[in-house]
Amino acid sequence: MKIFSESHKTVFVVDHCPYMAESCRQHVEFDMLVKNRTQGIIPLAPISKSLWTCSVESSMEYCRIMYDIFPFRKLLMAALAAVGPPNPRADPECCSILHGLVAAVETLCKITEYQHEARTLLMENAERVGNRGRIICITNAKSDSHVRMLEDCVQETIHEHNKLAANSDHLMQIQKCELVLIHTYPVGEDSLVSDRPKKELSPVLTSEVHSVRAGRHLATKLNILVQQHFDLASTTITNIPMKEEQHANTSANYDVELLHHKDAHVDFLKSGDTHLGGSSREGSFKETITLKWCTPRTNNIELHYCTGAYRISPVDVNSRPSSCLTNFLLNGRSVLLEQPRKSGSKVISHMLSSHGGEIFLHVLSSSRSILEDPPSISEGCGGRVTDYRITDFGEFMRENRLTPFLDPRYKIDGSLEIPLERAKDQLEKHTRYWPMIISQTTIFNMQAVVPLASVIVKESLTEEDVLNCQKTIYNLVDMERKNDPLPISTVGTRGKGPKRDEQYRIMWNELETLVRAHINNSEKHQRVLECLMACRSKPPEEEERKKRGRKREDKEDKSEKTVKDYEQEKSWQDSERLKGILERGKEELAEAEIIKDSPDSPEPPNKKPLVEMDNPPPVEKSKGPVSLLSFWSNRINTANSRKHQEFAGRLNSVNNRAELYQHLKEENGMETTENGKASRQ
Amino acid sequence: MPTVVVMDVSLSMTRPVSLEGSEEYQRKHLAAHGLTMLFEHMATNYKLEFTALVVFSSLWELMVPFTRDYNTLQEALSNMDDYDKTCLESALVGVCNIVQQEWGGAIPCQVVLVTDGCLGIGRGSLRHSLATHSQRSENNRFPLPFPFPSKLYIMCMANLEELQSTDSLDCLERLIDLNNGEGQIFTIDGPLCLKNVQSMFGKLIDLAYTPFHAVLKCGHLTADVQVFPRPEPFVVDEEIDPIPKVINTEGDEVGTGITDDNEDENSANQIAGKIPNFCVLLHGSLKVEGMVAIVQLGPEWHGMLYSQADSKKKSNLMMSLFEPGPEPLPWLGKMAQLGPISDAKENPYGEDDNKSPFPLQPKNKRSYAQNVTVWIKPSGLQTDVQKILRNARKLPEKTQTFYKELNRLRKAALAFGFLDLLKGVADMLERECTLLPDTAHPDAAFQLTHAAQQLKLASTGTSEYAGYDHNITPLQTDFSGSSTERM
């Protein structure tokens, strides 16, 4: 349905002329005597509704159904009461239906909130927003020519108002108007007006005439009309087991009829299966599809093939079976609905369930699913890695859960803050350094780091947060002094893994990476880094000396690895296609290698190729912040190394020169080990 | 999206194609060549899609039912015999049946019709079908438009000039029109040869079978993904918004909260299996935590990611797309209004995960969730009157409910202009008053008389007493304070 079809605006015009005070001549017994009451009392005489009451009641019912299924406007019951019933003695001239019709046309010209929104949104294309409407006029016409007179009146009024609207910003021309004239008359009288199907009176106006007896006939008519106007269809749920009011231990089966958008029947309509349950009730025009109640189950696997959910409205809203069913659903339970079949397996085609006080009819696909037999995720990329930080990411997800913020919030600069953007911001912050697998990280495997890691990702820190971070760092220093073991992963390493002091170096490096990633958040973050740098720094000479003594045992450089991982993740978000990277990367590779070994890199000096270890360190070797160039180069570099195994020669080259047959000099084939690691990333 | 390949095996497909300096080809060879190319493309890029092969002449036959096994399809191509004349309508009816039996009416399908542009003769020919199109009854409805969302691609083993020399092209265009314009005709550019057939099928592949690659992002955590089936552009409203919404290939995973059908699958290869992938991490955690992730696909277009397991042990990351719009699931509210819980004063999920901010309650309750008054059926009215009576007999304990029900009835009666009812109920209450047993509390009689009097006043319709907002309040009596002791 188009957003601004005729159904966007509906105006009810109910005739308030004296004749409408006439009785509909259908009696309603309201004084029902209960069995156990004293005998001999004569019930009060039945009363009957006036034509006006019937009309108002039926219009209200039309609105009720529409609001249930398309909840975008509000009922106007109070306004109706102020009007009150028509006075049979009033002058017929002064309350002519014509005034009502004119007012209806005027109303249709007014721009609705939705139209206004759409027009503002489209700006220069505002003329695309349509203005169509429907006038439902319930009246008692005198004759066919009277009906024609009413039509002419609407026709003329539209013409006039469109002229007015053309020169107004607040009004819109009516492009199309559907006039539904309902002539109603007391039961038992003959209709003076004949039915007429929809007819085009002019390009703008179509009109149809229905001649209906008052009372429940009118209500039925409007029920059919609301279905036609809003593309509704009807489903009858049969076999609802309901406890009897009188005998609580027996239950009888009841039927409840629901209305909903007809798309919920798409499977039946398309396959021409309407005969399936399409029984006619209450006259020959009413089609309903019958579905059988299925005892509720908790297993909701069927929901995966849900192809749509549609709001419903019960036809007979306050009948006992209806309210039993709706209360059952509103209490959070669901009902599966089954297609009645004479034989064969049962087919569940729909499910009724409520979400937040609204009941929806869910369409479940009963045919074969195109998603059947999907491959397991373990067969895909990354499927054979076994040490994902599943629990940690679960915790991460729980911290990043969403919740509705219904009241608008404003940023400091006064612009509207979009909560969803805040959520994305937070994700960005929380993932700046987030290794995906356990063997890539040390700090996230350490309980001692948690107080720091959990607050450092925040947008701003309190004094207390900073204090906690500092405490964490001191604590780590303490651990290092005591030489406590660290949970460094030995996966993929040969032998025992790195020595204790090397482990701490790796840990400090990783912690620094984490803190550095958030350094620009606030000045307090900066203070955490300062504390960290102060605590971890050691006399460089001592470091250097240590390293030289250790160099042969260095199986792999963990710290380099973790930093690389961070870089790697950064590179992933950069959604460059593989080819491009491959092309450019080749050229930049050599350069990148040099930079990796250059003083700009944050790693301690021992990370240069092992071949060179015995040579004096290059003069430019000194600590310093990471430059943008080295960030970029490392990124390209890691992106590349993922694609292919790096040449052993190039990997170990110095200034693009590699020493051949070095393994003759080296012991233990350390180079190959390192190469193996590099290619993993 | 499943595909049905409908291959013309009428005699006209065996017409030779003159090729210089090589062995003789028939049109069906060209067709088979093109289809081979399509199948090979799908085997590499679309391996999770189902394809079926139908051949037709005056009869039709399902050669290969829907399968993901492209070798079977390939084999079938080489085992096709030649039959009699072209009879398109029956073949299209066959396609309708096959698709509906397999997938129902809601799954979109692509139909690739391979023919030579000879549309048959006499009864059953396309010309005959189209000529009689307007005289169809419900029983022999023309199969187009297909009773399922579809695209009809017609691959002509003929070039444009050849088709235009007769009315073939017009007829084929009418077919597309009959399918609500969903589809396209492809013809061979230049002379009929393998190369030009390839370029024709290449165009089809570009149009309808390009793999959908995207990047799944969650902050800095990202993964390249391919999505099966390919999400199609979506037109929300052709009037307001005629440009189809297309998914940004950079999806944003925006967080987690709480069904359609799509599937993420990562092009698997042996080496890639060992590199940590964000999809696997996300899938694992979603599965363990029993959560779903909301994913943003474009402006005002969202979906969700979750772990889907079939009956066996296999599970994978699935993406379901919501209908584009600001509020696809009413019980989640507007998507843009979803923010991180850290912005909330207190954790809306509770400290022990025992609460949830969802579902959101709609501002106005639906009619079935509130106590509405509908008197269209007499039973509705009777129930309401009975309620008042029941409470009337239990006065004064039920004074509050009695007046509540009474006022509800009064309001509705005034709104409906049903003043006779007010008078009727007033009479009834007066009668009840006379029927009170001797043991009744004296207050009961006072309240009944008071209520009846008020209703009578309202039934006159005078504005003084019949105000809609006015409520009948209980009569203040001396008994009311001590009533409980006396009972």
Side-chain angles (χ1 to χ4, degrees), chain A residues 473 477 480 508 512 529-543 623:
Chain A
I473 294 168
V477 172
E480 186 172 22
W508 285 119
E512 189 183 327
L529 180 70
E530 281 160 15
C531 168
L532 174 66
M533 297 314 285
C535 288
R536 70 163 299 195
S537 66
K538 286 186 177 159
E541 289 82 2
E542 188 198 344
E543 278 267 288
K623 284 207 169 183

Side-chain angles (χ1 to χ4, degrees), chain B residues 250-375:
Chain B
E250 289 196 13
D252 263 327
E253 191 232 335
V254 292
T256 47
I258 318 290
T259 322
D260 287 26
D261 26 50
N262 286 281
E263 184 178 327
D264 280 357
E265 203 263 349
N266 326 309
S267 48
N269 63 54
Q270 292 299 311
I271 311 145
K274 290 181 188 160
I275 300 169
N277 187 302
F278 174 59
C279 282
V280 186
L281 174 68
L282 177 66
H283 168 263
S285 299
L286 289 176
K287 190 175 180 179
V288 170
E289 300 286 334
M291 291 166 90
V292 308
I294 301 293
V295 61
Q296 181 168 20
L297 303 120
E300 302 210 325
W301 199 356
H302 296 86
M304 64 177 185
L305 293 167
Y306 54 97
S307 163
Q308 144 116 22
D310 61 4
S311 50
K312 285 155 260 165
K313 278 187 175 168
K314 290 194 267 183
S315 64
N316 208 328
L317 191 62
M318 294 283 261
M319 177 166 75
S320 290
L321 303 189
F322 304 145
E323 213 162 275
E327 198 178 350
L329 301 179
W331 54 94
L332 294 190
K334 286 204 169 66
M335 282 299 187
Q337 287 179 341
L338 295 179
I341 51 170
S342 54
D343 280 3
K345 282 190 198 79
E346 56 184 88
N347 187 350
Y349 291 91
E351 290 312 315
D352 313 319
D353 257 347
N354 51 2
K355 307 191 279 191
S356 170
F358 303 107
L360 285 182
Q361 298 292 326
K363 272 199 207 102
N364 305 312
K365 280 190 176 174
R366 302 285 89 85
S367 70
Y368 45 80
Q370 54 184 332
N371 205 357
V372 289
T373 312
V374 179
W375 291 336

Side-chain angles (χ1 to χ4, degrees), chain A residues 3 29 31-32 49 68 128 306 356 358-359 368 375 388 402 405 422 424 426-428 431 572-573, chain B residues 102 147 220 222 237 239 253 259 272 277 296 316 337 342-343 349 362 366-368 375 382 386 431:
Chain A
I3 297 172
E29 293 280 358
D31 189 20
M32 303 294 285
K49 301 170 186 171
D68 270 354
R128 280 220 215 96
C306 171
E358 286 188 285
I359 299 175
R368 185 178 172 191
Y388 285 106
L402 300 172
F405 290 91
R422 292 269 309 152
K424 285 195 227 169
Q426 180 171 318
L427 280 183
E428 187 275 327
T431 55
W572 283 19
Q573 66 169 285
Chain B
E102 199 85 21
H220 294 276
T222 60
D237 184 311
E239 205 170 281
E253 191 232 335
T259 322
N277 187 302
Q296 181 168 20
N316 208 328
Q337 287 179 341
S342 54
D343 280 3
Y349 291 91
R366 302 285 89 85
S367 70
Y368 45 80
W375 291 336
Q382 286 156 8
Q386 287 294 318
R431 186 193 61 197

Side-chain angles (χ1 to χ4, degrees), chain A residues 2-4 28-32 34 37 41 44 47-49 52-53 56-57 61 64 67-68 71 77-78 81 85 122 128-130 132 219 267 270-271 303-307 311-312 314 316-318 326 355-360 367-377 379-385 388-390 393-394 397-406 409 418-420 422-424 426-428 431-432 434 436-437 569 572-573 575 577, chain B residues 2 48 50 68 100 102-106 147 215 218-222 237-240 242 250 253-254 256 259-261 263 265-268 270 272-278 280-286 288-289 291 296 302 308 310 312 314-316 318 330-331 335-344 348-349 353 357-362 366-368 372 374-377 381-382 385-386 393 415-419 421 424 428 431-432 435 468:
Chain A
K2 284 178 197 150
I3 297 172
F4 298 117
V28 187
E29 293 280 358
F30 71 100
D31 189 20
M32 303 294 285
V34 184
R37 292 279 290 165
I41 297 169
L44 293 168
I47 48 175
S48 75
K49 301 170 186 171
W52 165 261
T53 302
V56 172
E57 198 170 65
E61 182 69 0
R64 180 187 68 78
Y67 289 129
D68 270 354
M77 194 161 172
L122 284 173
R128 280 220 215 96
V129 178
R132 305 189 191 92
D267 257 10
K270 288 246 169 90
S271 56
L303 252 185
H304 282 146
Y305 304 110
C306 171
T307 54
R311 288 192 177 87
I312 60 108
D316 200 0
V317 64
N318 52 6
T326 50
H355 303 282
E358 286 188 285
I359 299 175
F360 291 83
S367 344
R368 185 178 172 191
S369 163
I370 53 166
L371 301 174
E372 69 174 30
D373 197 20
S376 169
I377 194 148
E379 291 162 22
C381 286
R384 291 197 284 151
V385 179
Y388 285 106
R389 294 169 57 203
I390 300 281
F393 197 71
M397 293 196 304
R398 251 178 285 137
E399 280 165 16
N400 281 284
R401 271 182 299 191
L402 300 172
T403 190
F405 290 91
L406 302 177
R409 288 148 74 115
I418 297 164
L420 194 66
R422 292 269 309 152
K424 285 195 227 169
Q426 180 171 318
L427 280 183
E428 187 275 327
T431 55
R432 283 192 195 156
W434 212 97
M436 284 196 282
I437 58 177
E569 278 156 31
W572 283 19
Q573 66 169 285
S575 69
R577 294 287 122 233
Chain B
L48 294 181
F50 289 93
R68 286 171 173 160
Q100 282 193 310
E102 199 85 21
W103 312 110
V215 181
C218 167
H220 294 276
L221 298 170
T222 60
D237 184 311
E238 71 264 27
E239 205 170 281
I240 305 301
E250 289 196 13
E253 191 232 335
V254 292
T256 47
T259 322
D260 287 26
D261 26 50
E263 184 178 327
E265 203 263 349
N266 326 309
S267 48
Q270 292 299 311
K274 290 181 188 160
I275 300 169
N277 187 302
F278 174 59
V280 186
L281 174 68
L282 177 66
H283 168 263
S285 299
L286 289 176
V288 170
E289 300 286 334
M291 291 166 90
Q296 181 168 20
H302 296 86
Q308 144 116 22
D310 61 4
K312 285 155 260 165
K314 290 194 267 183
S315 64
N316 208 328
M318 294 283 261
W331 54 94
M335 282 299 187
Q337 287 179 341
L338 295 179
I341 51 170
S342 54
D343 280 3
Y349 291 91
D353 257 347
F358 303 107
L360 285 182
Q361 298 292 326
R366 302 285 89 85
S367 70
Y368 45 80
V372 289
V374 179
W375 291 336
I376 285 173
K377 287 195 178 166
L381 177 60
Q382 286 156 8
V385 173
Q386 287 294 318
R393 283 167 204 152
F416 293 149
F418 198 1
L419 302 183
L421 177 71
M428 199 172 65
R431 186 193 61 197
E432 280 306 309
L435 292 175
Y468 180 74

Side-chain angles (χ1 to χ4, degrees), chain A residues 594-642:
Chain A
I594 302 165
I595 288 155
K596 240 176 75 179
D597 286 346
S598 85
D600 286 343
S601 82
E603 285 83 44
N606 81 319
K607 62 164 298 295
K608 62 198 168 80
L610 297 175
V611 234
E612 277 231 317
M613 269 311 182
D614 287 331
N615 303 344
V619 261
E620 69 270 24
K621 201 133 256 191
S622 67
K623 284 207 169 183
V626 188
S627 78
L628 192 61
L629 179 62
S630 70
F631 256 92
W632 170 252
S633 309
N634 279 343
R635 173 151 69 176
I636 293 297
N637 185 37
T638 41
N640 265 315
S641 60
R642 272 189 292 137

